[in-house]
């Protein structure tokens, strides 16, 4: 997929990327960029990956699954919550006193993961298949 480098209105893209946002956008361009920056860290990507593909998880479950210490995990969870990719929830558990804390991916988290990093990974696989010289030589034999 080639990028058209001609100027703004000629190719349908505005000169200012802020203008890509809908007039009633709930987020600013900076907020969208902060989401992408947050998921660009390996630990935060893994937390988001586990929440998107594994569902709601408590900090204890995440610590065990990732073999990560409590303070490091909470730092990264807070970063993901701050940019809106993950939400912190609390509920009572049947037969237990107090609240149970768990985290889950937001719709933004699901989209950033599926249409961001995972899409890039899928694209690389497709690219390799398209240009795999061993597959071409096998087909011509």
């Amino acid at each position: 997929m080639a990028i058209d480098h001609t100027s703004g209105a000629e190719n349908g893209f505005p000169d200012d990327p802020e203008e890509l946002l809908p007039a009633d956008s709930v987020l600013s361009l900076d907020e969208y960029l902060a989401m992408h920056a947050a998921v660009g860290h390996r630990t935060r990507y893994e937390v988001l990956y586990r929440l998107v593909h594994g569902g709601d998880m408590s900090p204890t479950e995440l610590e065990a699954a990732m073999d990560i210490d409590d303070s490091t995990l909470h730092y990264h969870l807070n970063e993901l919550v701050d940019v809106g990719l993950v939400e912190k929830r609390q509920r009572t558990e049947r037969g237990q006193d107090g609240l149970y804390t768990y985290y889950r991916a937001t719709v933004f988290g699901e989209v950033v993961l599926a249409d961001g990093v995972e899409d890039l990974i899928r694209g690389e696989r497709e690219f390799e298949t398209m240009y795999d010289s061993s597959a071409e030589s096998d087909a011509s034999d």
Side-chain angles (χ1 to χ4, degrees):
M1 175 179 195
I3 295 176
D4 185 353
H5 294 283
T6 58
S7 68
E10 295 172 20
N11 67 8
F13 290 97
D15 288 329
D16 180 358
E18 190 90 32
E19 294 173 19
L20 290 170
L21 299 172
D24 57 351
S25 180
V26 295
L27 298 175
S28 70
L29 180 59
D30 289 338
E31 289 169 314
Y32 281 113
L33 294 173
M35 288 179 180
H36 274 276
V39 80
H41 187 281
R42 165 76 183 181
T43 301
R44 290 189 290 270
Y45 171 78
E46 187 173 346
V47 168
L48 185 60
Y49 180 89
R50 290 178 183 281
L51 294 174
V52 167
H53 295 294
D56 302 353
M57 295 179 82
S58 71
T60 305
E61 292 167 324
L62 283 165
E63 287 171 31
M66 295 176 60
D67 192 28
I68 189 172
D69 68 88
D70 181 53
S71 62
T72 301
L73 174 65
H74 279 87
Y75 169 79
H76 291 293
L77 281 168
N78 287 335
E79 292 288 314
L80 291 167
V81 168
D82 287 347
V83 297
L85 297 175
V86 168
E87 63 182 355
K88 180 180 179 179
R89 310 283 292 186
Q90 293 183 324
R91 65 178 173 229
T92 57
E93 287 292 305
R94 208 176 290 190
Q96 300 215 353
D97 293 333
L99 294 174
Y100 169 77
T101 300
Y102 65 98
Y103 292 85
R104 70 178 182 193
T106 65
V107 69
F108 291 115
E110 292 175 10
V111 170
V112 164
L113 189 75
D115 294 338
V117 178
E118 288 182 355
D119 215 18
L120 287 171
I121 293 169
R122 279 189 296 276
E124 180 181 359
R125 287 190 191 132
E126 291 170 14
F127 182 80
E128 285 178 352
T129 302
M130 237 181 345
Y131 294 100
D132 184 0
S133 60
S134 65
E136 288 178 19
S137 65
D138 290 344
S140 63
D141 287 337

